[in-house]
């Protein structure tokens, strides 16, 4: 520990990997920044928070340092990263996020460079936490702060509500590809499966079937049976139509006047509800007619 | 891909309209049949079937639905009539250009079968196809019920 530069470093000495300002930030520090650091650190009483604040500050400093001095990476950066990992696993990121946020706000009018790097450090932290990398949209706004930028990735942080953007937000789950094509594919697939569940509600007996292929088979069978029924019924109607004498004759209907229909037919049309699957049997006379007609054609 | 989830739009086909159209066409056919009775039964059956489908297509929303539009066009072609359609907002060419996006071979077999069944299914994307299938099924079941009632009501006692 080098006490010459900073006398009042409030990093707890119990933490072996804590750093004084001098070690991390070999550049001259103006008092404002130092007081800002102290402010951020002082506002959190507990040890853990101090360490995370230290990690946050350290991360900030580390990122700026790595930006500026390429060769400094080395041991300290790796140690910092490991500490970051550990602290992020221990403590919810939101608290450290808040610390970073407060730091940003405080340093904004003082040192613009620091705020920019803090965003990068936030980005790095998110990457280290194992969330999906590749913020491909690149829509990282300064007011987005530590909330997930771009809006199309799911992290484990609790974020502020994002401003509504003009494209669809799809929550990508962990371990799934996040490029544009697969997102579109997934959205399309979800649309199709939603329509299929709607279809399932219409068709009786399709609720118990699970699996797209079987449901589709069921749907196709249903449509085919419906079309076959229409054919049978049209044959029946043809018999009715071509008979010389039918009960109530189908006369000429004036447009829009269903009242000329006989009463019982009217009632039938509006009240009769037949189950679809039970229309398998046809009366005997129809069978005879059908056989006759088939004989004639063959 | 900028729209939220619209509620699935299926308007219920009207029984009255369908019955009306169908009965009108049936009476037309009956008047025709008294003149030329040596016609074979199959042709009459086919005419009735076509009349049923056409009246159903007209009752179910006319040219607002893709499948009914295709049905009407098919029927009109057989009769060599000219059918005038109101101008649609989207052109069919846009749909055809997006065909390349419809990958996923597992689904496409099933979708192929559906396309063969539902009229007008050739030029649709899979999601649109599902909507049309749902509406088509509703209309078909309505048609079956009405025809059944008609047959029961008009059968010689």
């Amino acid at each position: 520990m080098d006490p010459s530069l900073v006398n009042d470093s409030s990093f707890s000495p119990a933490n072996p990997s804590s750093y004084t300002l001098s070690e991390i930030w070999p550049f001259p520090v103006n008092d404002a920044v130092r007081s800002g650091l102290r402010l951020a650190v002082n506002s959190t009483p507990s040890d853990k928070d101090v360490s995370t604040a230290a990690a946050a500050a350290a991360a900030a400093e580390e990122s700026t340092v790595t930006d500026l001095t390429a060769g400094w990476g080395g041991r300290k950066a790796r140690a910092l990263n490991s500490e970051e990992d550990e602290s992020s696993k221990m403590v919810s990121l939101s608290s450290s996020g808040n610390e970073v946020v407060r730091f940003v706000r405080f340093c904004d009018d003082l040192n613009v460079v620091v705020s920019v790097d803090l965003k990068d450090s936030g980005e790095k932290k998110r990457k280290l936490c194992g969330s999906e990398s590749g913020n491909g949209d690149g829509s990282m706004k300064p007011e987005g702060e530590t909330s997930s930028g771009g809006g199309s990735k799911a992290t484990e942080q609790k974020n502020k509500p994002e401003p509504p953007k003009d494209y669809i937000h799809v929550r990508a789950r962990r371990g799934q590809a996040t490029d544009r094509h697969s997102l579109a594919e997934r959205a399309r697939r979800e649309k199709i499966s939603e329509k299929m569940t709607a279809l399932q509600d219409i068709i009786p007996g399709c609720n118990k079937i699970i699996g797209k292929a079987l449901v589709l088979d069921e749907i196709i069978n249903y449509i085919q049976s419906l079309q076959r029924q229409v054919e049978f019924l049209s044959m029946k109607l043809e018999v009715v139509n071509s008979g010389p004498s039918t009960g109530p004759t189908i006369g000429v209907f004036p447009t829009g006047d269903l009242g000329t229909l006989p009463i019982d037919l009217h009632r039938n049309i509006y009240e009769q509800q037949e189950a679809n699957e039970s229309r398998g049997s046809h009366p005997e006379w129809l069978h005879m007619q059908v056989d006759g007609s088939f004989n004639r054609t063959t | 891909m900028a729209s939220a989830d619209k509620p699935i739009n299926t308007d219920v086909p009207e029984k009255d309209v369908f019955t009306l159209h169908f009965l009108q066409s049936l009476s037309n056919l009956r008047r025709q049949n008294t003149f030329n009775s040596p016609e074979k039964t199959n042709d009459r059956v086919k005419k009735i079937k076509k009349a049923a489908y056409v009246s159903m297509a007209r009752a179910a929303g006319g040219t607002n639905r893709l499948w009914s539009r295709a049905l009407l066009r098919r029927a009109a072609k057989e009769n060599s009539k000219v059918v005038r359609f109101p101008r649609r907002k989207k052109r069919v060419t846009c749909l055809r250009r997006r065909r390349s996006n419809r990958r996923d071979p597992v689904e496409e077999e099933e979708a192929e079968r559906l396309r063969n069944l539902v009229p007008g299914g050739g030029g649709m994307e899979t999601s649109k196809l599902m909507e049309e299938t749902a509406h088509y099924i509703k209309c078909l079941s309505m048609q079956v019920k009405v025809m059944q009632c008609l047959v029961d009501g008009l059968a010689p006692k």
Side-chain angles (χ1 to χ4, degrees):
Chain A
M1 301 289 182
D2 192 1
S4 62
L5 193 53
V6 174
N7 284 336
D8 47 15
S9 85
S10 43
F11 301 124
S12 58
N15 197 346
S17 51
S18 71
Y19 295 89
T20 56
L21 206 51
S22 60
E23 279 188 65
I24 309 164
W25 188 261
F27 305 95
V29 181
N30 34 351
D31 288 337
V33 177
R34 210 186 317 140
S35 60
L37 263 182
R38 215 184 312 139
L39 200 65
V41 168
N42 281 343
S43 59
T44 63
S46 68
D47 255 3
K48 272 192 191 172
D49 282 341
V50 168
S51 71
T52 54
E61 316 302 352
E62 178 254 58
S63 53
T64 42
V65 170
T66 48
D67 284 340
L68 298 175
T69 63
W72 193 72
R75 171 182 64 92
K76 289 208 177 134
R78 259 180 277 125
L80 265 177
N81 286 348
S82 65
E83 195 214 29
E84 257 186 31
D85 263 343
E86 175 195 9
S87 64
S88 61
K89 279 175 201 146
M90 275 190 326
V91 179
S92 73
L93 268 181
S94 55
S95 68
S96 73
N98 286 339
E99 290 313 312
V100 177
V101 164
R102 250 177 282 175
F103 196 90
V104 169
R105 285 217 191 90
F106 200 82
C107 296
D108 242 347
D109 27 356
L110 307 174
N111 195 353
V112 183
V113 182
V114 178
S115 64
V116 166
D117 294 327
L118 270 176
K119 273 194 291 182
D120 288 340
S121 82
E123 176 89 5
K124 277 187 198 160
K125 259 199 225 167
R126 258 181 280 130
K127 282 192 190 161
L128 286 171
C129 292
S131 63
E132 292 148 354
S133 62
N135 217 346
D137 299 333
S139 55
M140 189 75 157
K141 307 190 185 67
E143 69 266 12
E145 290 170 350
T146 55
S147 61
S148 61
S152 61
K153 315 285 181 285
T155 64
E156 284 136 64
Q157 309 175 6
K158 239 339 157 204
N159 304 319
K160 304 177 182 136
E162 301 159 3
K165 303 192 179 74
D166 54 348
Y167 46 87
I168 279 193
H169 283 275
V170 181
R171 286 267 141 184
R173 282 165 246 155
R174 280 194 71 154
Q176 290 191 346
T178 53
D179 51 328
R180 206 160 284 236
H181 290 300
S182 42
L183 274 180
E185 269 291 315
R186 203 176 313 128
R188 181 186 145 257
R189 250 180 277 149
E190 281 173 9
K191 261 204 279 185
I192 290 182
S193 60
E194 158 194 331
K195 306 250 166 83
M196 279 231 297
T197 46
L199 270 178
Q200 263 187 310
D201 297 334
I202 295 181
I203 300 177
C206 234
N207 294 331
K208 300 152 195 159
I209 302 183
I210 307 179
K212 270 200 287 192
L214 293 177
V215 168
L216 273 171
D217 281 343
E218 200 62 35
I219 292 177
I220 290 175
N221 282 340
Y222 193 72
I223 296 183
Q224 278 174 342
S225 78
L226 279 179
Q227 284 176 341
R228 258 181 275 141
Q229 272 182 345
V230 168
E231 212 170 313
F232 278 143
L233 285 173
S234 65
M235 270 200 271
K236 259 194 187 180
L237 266 181
E238 183 264 331
V239 167
V240 163
N241 226 3
S242 63
S245 65
T246 55
T249 52
I250 307 179
V252 180
F253 288 102
T255 28
D257 185 13
L258 274 182
T260 56
L261 278 180
I263 306 292
D264 49 353
L265 191 59
H266 211 135
R267 211 186 318 129
N268 274 347
I269 291 178
Y270 286 101
E271 293 174 5
Q272 199 163 2
Q273 297 288 327
E274 313 258 351
N276 201 4
E277 316 302 326
S278 64
R279 303 312 311 172
S281 61
H282 301 276
E284 275 304 320
W285 58 274
L286 177 63
H287 284 301
M288 289 184 359
Q289 284 284 349
V290 168
D291 292 340
S293 69
F294 282 162
N295 281 340
R296 252 184 283 147
T297 52
T298 52
Chain B
M1 217 169 65
S3 66
D5 280 349
K6 281 184 264 187
I8 297 187
N9 173 30
T10 43
D11 12 314
V12 185
E14 294 293 320
K15 273 190 275 190
D16 323 352
V17 188
F18 170 63
T19 324
L20 187 62
H21 283 300
F22 193 36
L23 285 173
Q24 275 182 335
S25 50
L26 273 184
S27 62
N28 282 341
L29 283 174
R30 189 181 164 80
R31 259 184 294 133
Q32 283 177 15
N33 280 344
T34 53
F35 295 152
N36 33 8
S37 39
E39 246 184 28
K40 300 226 163 129
T41 322
N42 273 347
D43 294 345
R44 275 182 281 168
V45 167
K46 280 189 202 151
K47 275 197 195 163
I48 290 189
K49 195 166 71 158
K50 196 170 68 168
Y53 276 117
V54 165
S55 42
M56 174 169 83
R58 240 187 290 160
T63 49
N64 293 337
R65 284 273 152 186
L66 268 170
W67 63 263
S68 61
R69 197 179 296 152
L71 248 184
L72 287 173
R73 188 179 286 152
R74 203 191 297 169
K77 228 189 292 182
E78 290 173 14
N79 293 348
S80 68
K81 273 194 234 166
V82 176
V83 189
R84 263 182 277 119
F85 292 121
R87 272 199 66 190
R88 290 170 267 154
K89 284 186 209 162
K90 282 194 219 160
R91 302 176 51 103
V92 190
T93 48
C94 297
L95 286 177
R96 287 202 194 274
R97 230 183 292 130
R98 281 167 65 193
R99 248 185 210 232
S100 52
N101 289 346
R102 294 196 265 110
R103 293 167 261 164
D104 200 354
V106 179
E107 274 182 13
E108 283 311 302
E109 304 176 8
E110 319 277 341
E112 201 53 43
R113 278 194 273 168
L114 262 184
R115 268 178 248 271
N116 293 338
L117 278 182
V118 177
M124 281 192 263
E125 260 195 316
T126 313
S127 56
K128 191 78 181 161
L129 183 67
M130 298 285 181
E131 275 186 46
E132 298 290 321
T133 313
H135 195 250
Y136 185 59
I137 290 181
K138 274 197 198 167
C139 291
L140 265 186
S141 52
M142 191 256 320
Q143 184 185 32
V144 163
K145 283 185 208 158
V146 169
M147 282 174 75
Q148 183 67 52
C149 299
L150 276 180
V151 165
D152 288 342
L154 298 175
K157 301 261 174 21

